[in-house]
Amino acid sequence: MEATQKEPFEVVYEKYFSDVYNYIYGQILHRERAEDLVSDAFIKAMTNYDKFDPTRASVRTWLTNIARNTLIDDYRKSKNRKAVSLDDEDNYVEPSYEDEYQVLKEDDEKEVYRILSLLSDAERELAVMVYFQNMKNEEIGIVLGINAKAVSERRRRLLAKCRKLAGEFTLY
């Protein structure tokens, strides 16, 4: 397929669903909320697919930008939501990182989750793009609005921090 030819959206969805899910989950570390946000992101992508220009960015980069903007919109909405009163009928309690952590079965999954939860939002975003999405520095630079050399330096610092965090904890 030519670089400028667009695949049908159904193919794009199948091909990049896990990339978008991993990006969003890696940011919020909560499965159900990630599923909802991934749905929102793909609805936005499907609605705007006719505007996607394959000469400007790859599909994965474009979808990552949509996922990123979906998260930003969700954060903004969350800030503006009223706190739920304990007197409300449902007594809804937002699940915490610890709740999600308990669902994980494997020790290495728990360690990755623990490290991700200790990173800043920006560090976690970079970690997801590097290690879960296997994005190149140039692609990450497009998403973050920085050059590839700056991405490389951020990756170096992130790896050093992750190694330090991993060294602070032993599974055995």
Side-chain angles (χ1 to χ4, degrees):
M1 181 171 286
E2 288 181 36
T4 57
Q5 188 177 1
K6 292 191 328 189
E7 297 176 299
F9 189 76
E10 297 78 22
V11 173
V12 168
Y13 176 84
E14 290 294 323
K15 195 172 184 180
Y16 296 102
F17 177 85
S18 63
D19 281 333
V20 172
Y21 178 84
N22 288 337
Y23 176 81
I24 291 176
Y25 178 80
Q27 294 304 301
I28 61 174
L29 300 174
H30 189 271
R31 187 175 26 85
E32 285 102 5
R33 192 161 154 237
E35 290 167 357
D36 290 342
L37 292 172
V38 169
S39 294
D40 292 348
F42 272 108
I43 288 170
K44 290 175 186 177
M46 183 176 65
T47 303
N48 293 295
Y49 192 55
D50 59 326
K51 298 174 188 168
F52 167 65
D53 181 358
T55 62
R56 295 187 65 208
S58 70
V59 175
R60 180 170 64 172
T61 302
W62 179 72
L63 287 170
T64 300
N65 269 317
I66 291 173
R68 185 174 204 245
N69 290 332
T70 300
L71 279 168
I72 291 168
D73 292 345
D74 185 65
Y75 291 146
R76 286 182 185 141
K77 286 179 196 170
S78 296
K79 280 183 162 181
N80 294 329
R81 286 189 192 129
K82 244 177 32 173
V84 177
S85 167
L86 293 176
D87 296 330
D88 287 348
E89 281 181 44
D90 296 332
N91 286 330
Y92 176 74
V93 176
E94 182 72 30
S96 67
Y97 287 138
E98 291 78 22
D99 296 331
E100 189 77 10
Y101 181 85
Q102 297 306 320
V103 173
L104 300 173
K105 306 270 187 273
E106 303 294 324
D107 285 342
D108 55 345
E109 289 176 349
K110 287 184 176 189
E111 177 63 357
V112 168
Y113 186 92
R114 185 189 71 80
I115 290 170
L116 284 173
S117 70
L118 295 171
L119 297 175
S120 71
D121 291 343
E123 291 167 336
R124 192 168 38 250
E125 179 179 36
L126 180 60
V128 168
M129 287 190 277
V130 170
Y131 299 110
F132 298 149
Q133 293 182 284
N134 296 314
M135 292 177 77
K136 295 179 177 143
N137 288 355
E138 293 77 17
E139 293 175 298
I140 295 169
I142 291 170
V143 172
L144 298 180
I146 59 177
N147 65 42
K149 186 174 180 177
V151 172
S152 180
E153 180 57 26
R154 287 184 186 185
R155 284 178 75 155
R156 185 192 62 72
R157 288 193 312 258
L158 173 66
L159 182 57
K161 183 172 183 176
C162 288
R163 285 181 174 150
K164 182 177 184 242
L165 290 170
E168 293 173 356
F169 180 78
T170 22
L171 296 170
Y172 306 103

